[in-house]
Amino acid sequence: MGDIFSSQWVNRQEYYRRIHRFKWISQQIDSNNKTVQGNHIYYFLAGNHDIGYGEETRKYHITRYLNNFGPLNRKWYVDFERASDEDADRPGLHKVAILNAMNLDATRNEEYRREAWDFIRDLATERISRPEIPFILFLHIPLNKPAGVCEPSPVTRLKDDFIAYQDYLSPATSAFLLHCLRPTVILNGHDHNGCLATHLVRNTTHLPVHLGDSGRYLQSSGDLCSMTLEELDMHSSEVEAFAESTVLTSGSSNITTADHLWSTIEITARSTMGAYGGVTGIFDIKRDHALDCDSTFYPRGRREMSASADGYKYQYREVALGHHIVIRVLLIVDIASAVIVPALLLLVK
């Protein structure tokens, strides 16, 4: 979910040393530095520890990321029910996209911000033409949420009017992604604690929002999706007001779409760092023809999610890799065994 390893300010030699270690840990190369052949496909997502926040992003951050991990924005289809390779050109059952969230809001590098927003608008056009295909969106920074839904309250810090730190994407960017892309599921990281949330979205607001001196009003998703990037920046407070009246975000259980037009499930994966429990996540998609309504359920006391939408069942659950204290104890025991056991054997002899 981004932050592959801390690297945005390390020198070239250290950067490639860490890449080598990462590829070895993830079994992309063996101990002889040879590429491991297999059926796995690796997709990577850029985080702030990879290319920096908007204020610190430099072209060389982006260039070396592209050279080693691939595009910042990409999309593809996943069709797990395809019968044969003859159907390879048929649009799949799910559309998947990776989005560069680090340059969506105010950034020093306008080139990559434009690239990300052009990519978003292409996705929005495709969603209009094929709305029946479920859409899964990956991005590093979570969407904006009211205080109390997740553990951190929304915090954004600027430096020279550029993003120096942010817990969530801006309200305007978040509203655009929800209204114009209509993701079925969003998966992200960044927040070390993790979070599960559902966004219930209405297409229109009962009270149109006046866009300043432009003479225009913001009343529907179509109005929002037609706004240019400059207009989104200029009228960010009005877009935020529109989002407050059309988007209901909740972290509670047993959610149904009710009177809302659609819902988006957002899964923020907890950090795999040992201090946060040393976990990873497994996300499953299953076909379920019996489902006739959209709903989301979070089992109490567990970091799990089960949801149904568009005839599919989505499940997310955390899986423990190992707590840092347990791992350190085992390491100490291993080291002690390697030293003490041979010493005892020598004494016995």
Side-chain angles (χ1 to χ4, degrees), residues 12-251:
R12 187 178 187 278
Q13 181 179 1
E14 177 62 18
Y15 183 78
Y16 282 97
R17 189 182 73 84
R18 295 186 185 189
I19 284 181
H20 179 272
R21 183 169 181 267
F22 169 73
K23 288 185 176 181
W24 178 76
I25 291 173
S26 57
Q27 298 183 342
Q28 298 179 62
I29 60 174
D30 60 21
S31 57
N32 296 318
N33 293 332
K34 293 183 179 180
T35 301
V36 175
Q37 301 298 326
N39 297 323
H40 295 91
I41 300 176
Y42 294 91
Y43 294 101
F44 299 102
L45 179 64
N48 53 288
H49 287 294
D50 303 308
I51 62 174
Y53 289 106
E55 184 276 327
E56 59 185 348
T57 298
R58 300 295 187 271
K59 193 174 182 65
Y60 78 87
H61 288 130
I62 303 290
T63 300
R64 68 183 185 182
Y65 180 90
L66 295 176
N67 290 339
N68 291 282
F69 297 105
L72 292 166
N73 307 289
R74 60 168 59 181
K75 57 187 177 181
W76 67 96
Y77 285 101
V78 174
D79 189 349
F80 52 83
E81 289 187 354
R82 193 177 68 207
S84 68
D85 290 337
E86 296 177 358
D87 299 327
D89 294 331
R90 181 171 64 85
L93 294 175
H94 282 73
K95 185 165 192 171
V96 183
I98 289 174
L99 178 61
N100 171 23
M102 305 316 305
N103 298 114
L104 290 181
D105 292 321
T107 176
R108 289 186 183 277
N109 202 316
E110 192 64 25
E111 173 189 353
Y112 294 105
R113 189 183 189 209
R114 289 284 178 185
E115 179 183 281
W117 277 95
D118 288 345
F119 180 75
I120 290 172
R121 293 191 184 279
D122 287 343
L123 287 175
T125 300
E126 294 170 4
R127 290 292 288 153
I128 292 173
S129 63
R130 298 299 301 271
E132 75 280 4
I133 298 178
F135 177 45
I136 300 175
L137 178 64
F138 288 84
L139 69 167
H140 180 64
I141 301 179
L143 269 58
N144 189 269
K145 302 174 188 65
V149 174
C150 297
E151 289 195 33
S153 298
V155 174
T156 298
R157 291 195 292 269
L158 300 178
K159 181 179 180 181
D160 300 329
D161 294 327
F162 301 115
I163 298 292
Y165 175 83
Q166 60 183 159
D167 287 314
Y168 302 142
L169 293 173
S170 68
T173 296
S174 301
F176 195 96
L177 295 178
L178 285 172
H179 276 274
C180 306
L181 297 188
R182 301 190 183 189
T184 309
V185 179
I186 295 176
L187 294 106
N188 48 47
H190 192 53
D191 165 23
H192 293 175
N193 296 291
C195 184
L196 299 173
T198 298
H199 305 275
L200 303 177
V201 186
R202 285 195 300 266
N203 186 43
T204 60
T205 177
H206 299 299
L207 297 174
V209 179
H210 186 224
L211 295 178
D213 298 330
S214 66
R216 296 167 55 194
Y217 288 87
L218 185 56
Q219 187 172 10
S220 68
S221 296
D223 297 333
L224 175 61
C225 300
S226 66
M227 294 178 69
T228 65
L229 182 55
E230 289 76 16
E231 289 173 332
L232 287 171
D233 289 338
M234 185 183 303
H235 300 292
S236 59
S237 59
E238 290 92 336
V239 174
E240 183 175 359
F242 173 76
E244 289 176 352
S245 65
T246 57
V247 178
L248 173 63
T249 299
S250 175

